[in-house]
Amino acid sequence: MHIVLDETAMAAAGTGNVLASRLIHRAHAEAGWYLYAPACALVEADRTRPGTAEHLAALPGITVLDLDLPAVLAVAQQATWAQAHAHHAAQPTPDRPDGAIIATTTPERWKGEPVRVLDLTP
């Protein structure tokens, strides 16, 4: 299971959202569960809730995704860097042929986008 945290999911994890906490636990404790934190979304989450970036980056079950050239090109075409980087990270890759699911507390913002969404709204 490959899951990309958007900035709302990251901020929710820091406020005790039980669904976000379960994802983090599974990624750490269970084989086959992978959580990704796109760097641009991590920055935005930290702006919303200071300390989020440092905390999430220190967790062993979360992989921080750098802003590589393909991500830069994707980000350049979107209105917000955080959403664009999360969207890019969820796209299929050779390692993730089916892509990834985006975990969010604002699922309505992803309507009309070609991504699968996991609603973390409690």
Side-chain angles (χ1 to χ4, degrees):
M1 179 71 60
H2 296 274
I3 300 173
V4 173
L5 300 172
D6 76 0
E7 74 277 12
T8 67
M10 292 180 206
T15 61
N17 179 296
V18 68
L19 298 174
S21 295
R22 285 180 186 163
L23 285 177
I24 291 168
H25 173 73
R26 282 193 164 186
H28 175 67
E30 294 183 32
W33 281 78
Y34 304 94
L35 272 186
Y36 304 98
C40 292
L42 193 56
V43 167
E44 198 59 40
D46 201 69
R47 286 181 179 164
T48 301
R49 190 173 195 292
T52 299
E54 187 175 2
H55 175 72
L56 288 177
L59 295 174
I62 296 180
T63 301
V64 176
L65 299 176
D66 295 331
L67 194 61
D68 59 7
L69 180 58
V72 167
L73 297 174
V75 165
Q77 298 174 15
Q78 300 293 325
T80 69
W81 288 31
Q83 188 172 357
H85 200 185
H87 183 275
H88 172 74
Q91 298 308 302
T93 66
D95 294 340
R96 299 183 308 269
D98 294 328
I101 299 166
I102 296 179
T104 184
T105 61
T106 56
E108 63 278 356
R109 78 189 283 199
W110 295 100
K111 285 191 180 191
E113 296 289 337
V115 294
R116 295 175 291 159
V117 173
L118 175 61
D119 185 356
L120 297 183
T121 305

